[in-house]
């Protein structure tokens, strides 16, 4: 229910991508790496060795001058790159950031390998990351142990005496598996429910207990409920996958078939009861305060005293229950369905969640459904990449320190901070100049903008992992140790003052986020690299790429969701009624525009502009702020946007070309479908063509005229 998880830059943070590509689901608190985007292994020969990673850098010679920029700017800017960069077989998406992903992972791999030498003089941090790496890379040992690492869990589930025993099994799952206690990013898939500490909506200075809907295993409820042919086909394949996993876990085939039927039926009932993604975008719908007595009455089949004690949860002023209707339906199911059904569900949860850390047959079958069938990848990623990302997820702030030393010099930080300040100044001017906003709301908006805290590169102090026990003996056990501590760390925040220094992304992450309840923007060192930030390039290129990203994150504070929070992160309406109405009209223009057919994702697949409205608003406003800031920077150098640089392009043209280049991507239709149906971000092509066709500033750059495709008759503008 951490709302900040909805306001990132990339679809890549969609942790399903990580699960999909054979790695586990998302991090406890730390969104896992952007697994979707790349691989070093273009061929099987290089299967487990990193090839020389290649960083992409903007080059205006890549445009296809045979095409018309006013017809399709994405194709004009990207088609040559796309033709030269086919998707590697182990990837679902390959984009201009993919080389950077491999580069970042290679840096982390070197750190991990050095730390894994078993040198008795290693310090405690290097012992942990080194032994974590060694245990993960020990593929033959993992294969030899087969089902053994989870056998005790399966045995205990088999001997449950009554439904009263379910509570303690759920709390065990929440401790053991990444993503199990709060759901993976953008997904509501914690076993039965999610539980964590989080900021209160009405008083952001307080941390309270949050209980969120859960229960499903597919990326969103739609996967269970849609009845078109393709959805029905995917659902059948999902059921077959559940059955295969149960057979692998030792069930005889007929029983596995019956259990799989039960499991998908339970999950479908839970999916049906879940609040949908669009409703969840409005924080008011999640802000349901309850006393503990009310929680107990809502769901008496869970023994809440037992759960809270096992989670070591401090008393909470109140409990935020995201969707009471969901819990009513889940309670009914728990009461009606026999213990045996829930034992099947728990067994599935164990093998499903453990599979990335078990022997090849489990990892392969998990990959086969989530990466191949759902996302379209043709082969598994090399093990080293999976292990690097798992280490980043589980021990990211230990591993990230060496990355920062190597890849993020103080000059990069200084130049980024300067860009952030100039983009914030651009938004101040933009707000002052808005014709539709009253002075009273403008004053409030500027207060909120001035209240944004900029976090650049890495946290001010590093997390302490001294209580995480890591050995070389068991990969699964290491994952469980890290998860357990992370889960309890979040739960322990309940009742304590908010820690404003916390980051929810690790330093090497290629992503960025705005946190509406802390009112912070966060740019990990991992994205402050080429092609997004390139110290060797001029301002036009950098404002076009990372400048737009900075603007995007700042605008999240003022999108249809972010605008509901004030400078202190409280859910409070600071808008006059008339200005709120004006905002909604402009927002509706965006959501109508992006409610569009997406043939590249399959026949009949349609984007829901209400789901992507916040991201689309941030894209549209962010690029404009970056352009204004560039204009100011050029003015200080005695230049203007329409002056030509050495290469014959104007700065304005270079700005838009660099922006488009940073989004060039080849995307498999399977993952396109997954993104369109369940992710709040638009596909890359729309992040260029829709945005720029709304902008007179773009049309001026390339001399586009009314009637051309890149000149939208009903152009939208919020910021
Ligand atoms: Zn975003």
């Amino acid at each position: 229910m951490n709302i900040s998880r909805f306001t990132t830059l990339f679809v890549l943070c969609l942790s399903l991508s990580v699960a999909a590509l054979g790695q586990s689901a998302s991090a406890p608190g730390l969104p896992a790496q952007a697994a979707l985007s790349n691989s070093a292994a273009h061929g099987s020969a290089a299967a487990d060795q990193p090839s020389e990673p290649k960083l992409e850098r903007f080059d205006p010679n890549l445009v296809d001058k045979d095409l018309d920029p006013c017809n399709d700017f994405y194709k004009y800017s990207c088609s040559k790159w796309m033709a030269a960069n086919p998707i590697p077989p182990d990837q679902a998406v390959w984009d201009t950031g993919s080389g950077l992903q491999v580069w970042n992972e290679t840096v982390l791999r070197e750190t991990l390998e050095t730390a894994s030498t078993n040198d008795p003089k290693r310090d405690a941090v290097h012992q942990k990351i080194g032994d974590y790496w060694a245990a993960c890379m020990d593929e033959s040992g993992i294969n030899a142990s087969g089902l053994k690492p989870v056998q005790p869990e399966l045995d205990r589930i088999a001997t449950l005496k009554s439904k009263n025993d379910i509570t303690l099994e759920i709390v065990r799952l929440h401790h053991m598996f990444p993503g199990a206690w709060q759901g993976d990013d953008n997904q509501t898939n914690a076993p039965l429910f999610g539980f964590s500490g989080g900021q209160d909506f009405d008083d952001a200075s307080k941390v309270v207990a949050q209980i969120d809907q859960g229960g499903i295993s597919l990326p969103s409820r739609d996967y269970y409920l849609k009845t078109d042919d393709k959805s029905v086909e995917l659902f059948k394949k999902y059921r077959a996958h559940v059955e295969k996993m149960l057979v692998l876990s030792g069930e005889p085939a007929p029983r596995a078939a019956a259990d799989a039927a039960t499991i998908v039926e339970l999950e479908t009932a839970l999916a049906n009861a879940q609040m949908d993604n669009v409703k969840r975008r409005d924080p008011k719908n999640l802000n349901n305060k309850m006393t503990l007595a009310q929680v107990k009455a809502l769901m008496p089949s869970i023994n809440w005293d037992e759960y809270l004690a096992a989670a070591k949860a401090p008393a909470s002023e109140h409990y935020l229950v995201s969707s009471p209707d969901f819990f009513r339906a889940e309670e009914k199911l728990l009461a009606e369905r026999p213990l045996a059904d829930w034992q099947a569900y728990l067994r599935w949860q164990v093998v499903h969640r453990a599979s990335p850390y078990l022997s090849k047959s489990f990892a392969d079958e998990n990959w086969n459904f989530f990466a191949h069938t759902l996302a379209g990848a043709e082969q598994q990623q090399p093990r080293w990449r999976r292990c690097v990302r798992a280490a980043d997820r589980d021990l990211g702030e230990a591993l990230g320190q060496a990355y920062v030393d190597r890849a993020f010099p103080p000059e990069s930080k200084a130049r980024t901070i300067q860009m952030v300040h100039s983009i914030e100044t651009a938004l101040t001017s933009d707000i002052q100049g808005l014709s539709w906003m009253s002075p009273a709301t403008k004053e409030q908006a500027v207060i909120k903008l001035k209240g944004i805290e900029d976090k650049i590169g890495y946290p001010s102090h590093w997390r302490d992992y001294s209580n995480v026990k890591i050995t070389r003996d068991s990969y699964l056990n290491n994952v469980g140790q890290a998860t357990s501590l992370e889960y309890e760390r979040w739960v322990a925040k309940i009742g304590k003052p908010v820690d404003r220094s916390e980051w929810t992304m690790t330093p090497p992450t290629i992503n960025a986020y705005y946190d509406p309840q802390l009112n912070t923007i966060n740019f990990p060192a991992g994205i402050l690299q080429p092609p997004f930030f390139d110290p060797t390039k001029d301002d036009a290129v950098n404002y076009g790429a990372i400048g737009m990203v900075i603007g995007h994150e700042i605008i999240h504070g003022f999108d249809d969701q972010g605008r509901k929070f004030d400078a202190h992160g409280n859910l409070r309406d600071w808008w006059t009624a008339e200005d709120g109405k004006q905002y909604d009209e402009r927002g509706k223009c965006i959501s109508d525009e992006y409610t569009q057919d997406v043939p590249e994702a399959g026949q009949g697949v349609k984007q829901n502009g209400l789901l992507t409205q916040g991201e689309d608003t941030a894209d549209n406003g962010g690029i404009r702020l970056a352009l204004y800031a560039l204009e100011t920077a050029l003015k200080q150098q005695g230049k203007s946007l329409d002056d030509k640089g050495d290469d014959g392009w104007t700065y304005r043209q270079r700005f838009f070309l660099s922006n488009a280049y940073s989004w060039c991507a080849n995307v498999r239709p399977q993952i396109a479908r997954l993104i369109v149906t369940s992710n709040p971000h638009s596909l890359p092509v729309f992040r260029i063509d829709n945005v720029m066709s709304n902008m007179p500033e773009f049309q001026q750059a390339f001399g586009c005229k009314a009637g051309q495709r890149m000149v939208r008759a009903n152009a939208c503008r919020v910021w």
Side-chain angles (χ1 to χ4, degrees):
M1 209 156 70
N2 178 356
I3 207 159
S4 68
R5 285 188 283 146
F6 292 107
T7 55
T8 53
L9 177 72
F10 284 128
V11 292
L12 306 175
C13 70
L14 170 75
S15 67
L16 178 90
S17 57
V18 184
L21 293 166
Q23 189 44 263
S24 104
S26 95
L30 299 176
Q33 271 285 20
L36 265 185
S37 65
N38 33 57
S39 159
H42 284 255
S44 54
D48 230 24
Q49 285 301 317
S51 54
E52 191 55 45
K54 177 175 149 245
L55 284 183
E56 301 276 351
R57 291 178 193 266
F58 172 68
D59 175 2
N61 294 319
L62 280 170
V63 305
D64 187 342
K65 289 193 170 162
D66 293 338
L67 299 177
D68 180 357
C70 298
N71 179 49
D72 186 335
F73 193 63
Y74 184 74
K75 276 212 181 110
Y76 177 74
S77 311
C78 291
S79 55
K80 274 188 168 176
W81 183 91
M82 287 163 74
N85 292 277
I87 307 174
D90 62 348
Q91 299 297 312
V93 173
W94 190 258
D95 58 36
T96 45
S98 296
L100 173 59
Q101 180 70 30
V102 181
W103 191 87
N104 284 356
E105 288 176 17
T106 305
V107 170
L108 299 180
R109 175 183 180 150
E110 285 165 14
T111 305
L112 288 160
E113 277 181 341
T114 308
S116 69
T117 52
N118 225 349
D119 178 347
K121 292 196 291 280
R122 284 184 306 174
D123 63 23
V125 168
H126 287 86
Q127 177 273 316
K128 285 183 210 299
I129 61 174
D131 288 352
Y132 186 100
W133 172 257
C136 181
M137 288 299 286
D138 179 16
E139 197 169 12
S140 57
I142 289 168
N143 285 340
S145 65
L147 189 59
K148 229 185 278 167
V150 290
Q151 194 62 59
E153 298 304 316
L154 298 174
D155 291 346
R156 206 188 29 264
I157 290 166
T159 59
L160 297 187
K161 298 268 180 311
S162 80
K163 284 195 275 182
N164 294 331
D165 299 333
I166 291 173
T167 299
L168 281 182
E169 285 307 315
I170 294 297
V171 83
R172 284 186 69 83
L173 290 174
H174 287 183
H175 274 95
M176 280 178 72
F177 298 114
W181 52 279
Q182 63 165 10
D184 300 315
D185 297 325
N186 292 321
Q187 296 176 60
T188 46
N189 61 1
L192 292 190
F193 57 88
F195 184 83
S196 183
Q199 281 170 276
D200 189 53
F201 285 117
D202 297 319
D203 181 353
S205 69
K206 284 183 184 154
V207 181
V208 295
Q210 300 188 344
I211 304 173
D212 198 8
Q213 65 185 18
I216 62 176
S217 305
L218 286 166
S220 76
R221 70 195 286 277
D222 286 356
Y223 279 83
Y224 295 87
L225 307 178
K226 282 201 171 160
T227 54
D228 61 279
D229 291 352
K230 186 71 191 169
S231 300
V232 169
E233 179 203 323
L234 285 174
F235 192 71
K236 258 190 205 148
K237 288 183 175 168
Y238 172 59
R239 181 174 152 167
H241 164 68
V242 175
E243 190 177 328
K244 279 183 206 152
M245 292 292 278
L246 293 174
V247 169
L248 285 174
S249 79
E251 289 194 12
R255 183 167 161 215
D259 281 352
T262 301
I263 290 159
V264 300
E265 196 193 329
L266 289 174
E267 289 191 355
T268 303
L270 295 171
N272 218 348
Q274 284 196 350
M275 185 186 288
D276 70 43
N277 281 345
V278 171
K279 271 200 190 128
R280 282 171 66 83
R281 292 196 64 251
D282 186 344
K284 276 183 239 142
N285 293 332
L286 306 175
N287 190 15
N288 308 297
K289 293 193 185 80
M290 290 192 177
T291 62
L292 183 54
Q294 285 170 322
V295 170
K296 288 175 179 173
L298 181 66
M299 216 170 151
S301 291
I302 295 296
N303 184 334
W304 288 99
D305 289 330
E306 203 170 65
Y307 181 90
L308 296 171
K312 303 188 186 131
S316 187
E317 188 175 303
H318 49 253
Y319 294 73
L320 285 183
V321 178
S322 65
S323 40
D325 286 345
F326 168 82
F327 286 100
R328 278 178 205 109
E330 185 164 84
E331 170 59 29
K332 197 160 171 274
L333 267 186
L334 280 165
E336 285 173 5
R337 303 294 293 254
L339 175 65
D341 287 6
W342 296 106
Q343 285 172 302
Y345 177 82
L346 292 167
R347 261 198 307 280
W348 154 245
Q349 283 291 333
V350 168
V351 287
H352 165 56
R353 291 185 173 275
S355 58
Y357 320 107
L358 295 178
S359 59
K360 193 169 181 309
S361 48
F362 289 90
D364 284 356
E365 177 52 33
N366 183 55
W367 174 88
N368 187 48
F369 179 74
F370 284 99
H372 176 60
T373 301
L374 276 193
E378 294 295 335
Q379 99 191 13
Q380 279 228 50
Q381 287 198 1
R383 188 162 191 93
W384 77 266
R385 296 198 61 190
R386 292 182 264 154
C387 289
V388 165
R389 283 197 303 275
D392 175 63
R393 180 198 61 207
D394 287 343
L395 299 167
E397 288 193 16
L399 187 54
Q401 296 177 33
Y403 176 83
V404 167
D405 290 344
R406 162 98 179 262
F408 194 58
E411 306 83 70
S412 287
K413 183 161 178 165
R415 192 162 166 197
T416 308
I417 290 172
Q418 196 198 344
M419 291 179 79
V420 169
H421 289 163
S422 69
I423 289 166
E424 285 168 347
T425 304
L427 180 54
T428 311
S429 313
D430 179 59
I431 291 168
Q432 306 291 13
L434 288 179
S435 58
W436 55 270
M437 193 186 270
S438 69
T441 306
K442 282 181 183 176
E443 195 186 323
Q444 294 291 315
V446 171
I447 289 173
K448 174 156 184 184
L449 173 59
K450 299 251 185 279
I452 293 178
E453 188 184 340
D454 310 321
K455 295 187 189 171
I456 311 296
Y458 50 90
S460 54
H461 58 265
W462 298 102
R463 191 164 302 162
D464 174 14
Y465 292 99
S466 52
N467 290 329
V468 184
K469 245 192 249 141
I470 301 292
T471 69
R472 291 186 175 231
D473 306 334
S474 165
Y475 178 31
L476 180 72
N477 194 44
N478 288 343
V479 171
Q481 285 288 326
T483 305
S484 182
L485 266 289
E486 185 64 4
Y487 166 55
E488 291 188 0
R489 195 173 72 82
W490 277 91
V491 169
K493 291 170 184 279
I494 295 169
K496 303 215 173 64
V498 172
D499 176 2
R500 292 192 50 85
S501 68
E502 187 91 55
W503 282 61
T504 55
M505 281 180 188
T506 64
T509 305
I510 305 176
N511 211 335
Y513 67 99
Y514 171 75
D515 185 326
Q517 291 180 281
L518 290 175
N519 200 23
T520 61
I521 48 173
N522 305 259
F523 300 91
I527 196 174
L528 299 171
Q529 313 290 340
F532 304 106
F533 172 75
D534 189 340
T536 68
K537 302 281 183 193
D538 65 292
D539 282 341
V541 171
N542 278 310
Y543 276 102
I546 197 70
M548 174 269 174
V549 174
I550 295 166
H552 172 107
E553 298 307 338
I554 294 170
I555 292 291
H556 269 315
F558 303 89
D559 70 16
D560 62 305
Q561 190 178 63
R563 79 176 190 88
K564 292 171 179 160
F565 295 86
D566 68 14
H568 303 288
N570 299 322
L571 185 57
R572 180 177 72 82
D573 188 2
W574 45 270
W575 295 65
T576 67
E578 177 55 26
D579 289 340
K581 212 177 112 218
Q582 291 283 341
Y583 183 97
D584 288 342
E585 270 172 34
R586 283 160 178 76
K588 185 175 182 304
C589 181
I590 296 272
S591 62
D592 286 349
E593 177 182 316
Y594 283 82
T595 298
Q596 55 193 343
D597 292 322
V598 188
E600 45 275 77
Q603 212 195 345
V605 177
K606 202 168 175 134
Q607 179 171 348
N608 182 349
L610 289 172
L611 177 62
T612 59
Q613 184 181 345
E615 295 300 335
D616 300 331
T617 302
D619 283 348
N620 278 274
I623 191 169
R624 185 172 276 111
L625 296 186
L627 183 67
Y628 290 168
L630 171 63
E631 193 173 16
T632 305
L634 288 171
K635 212 176 273 172
Q636 285 161 356
Q637 301 159 27
K639 297 175 193 159
S640 85
L641 281 174
D642 296 306
D643 289 348
K644 278 191 180 161
D646 299 341
D647 57 6
W649 297 95
T650 66
Y651 296 114
R652 184 193 294 273
Q653 288 170 332
R654 279 168 70 79
F655 172 88
F656 285 109
L657 288 170
S658 169
N659 179 262
Y661 176 76
S662 71
W663 291 108
C664 296
N666 281 307
V667 182
R668 293 190 198 271
Q670 293 93 333
I671 190 84
R673 181 191 175 88
L674 193 155
I675 292 166
V676 174
T677 54
S678 59
N679 193 279
H681 299 81
S682 293
L683 289 174
V685 57
F686 305 123
R687 301 184 81 163
I688 297 306
D689 282 357
N690 284 35
V691 169
M692 292 186 192
S693 64
N694 282 325
M695 293 183 78
E697 298 90 336
F698 165 79
Q699 291 139 22
Q700 193 185 334
F702 292 92
C704 305
K705 305 266 176 330
Q708 290 186 289
R709 191 171 160 270
M710 293 301 297
V711 183
R712 203 173 277 273
N714 301 314
C716 301
R717 175 169 178 182
V718 182
W719 300 104

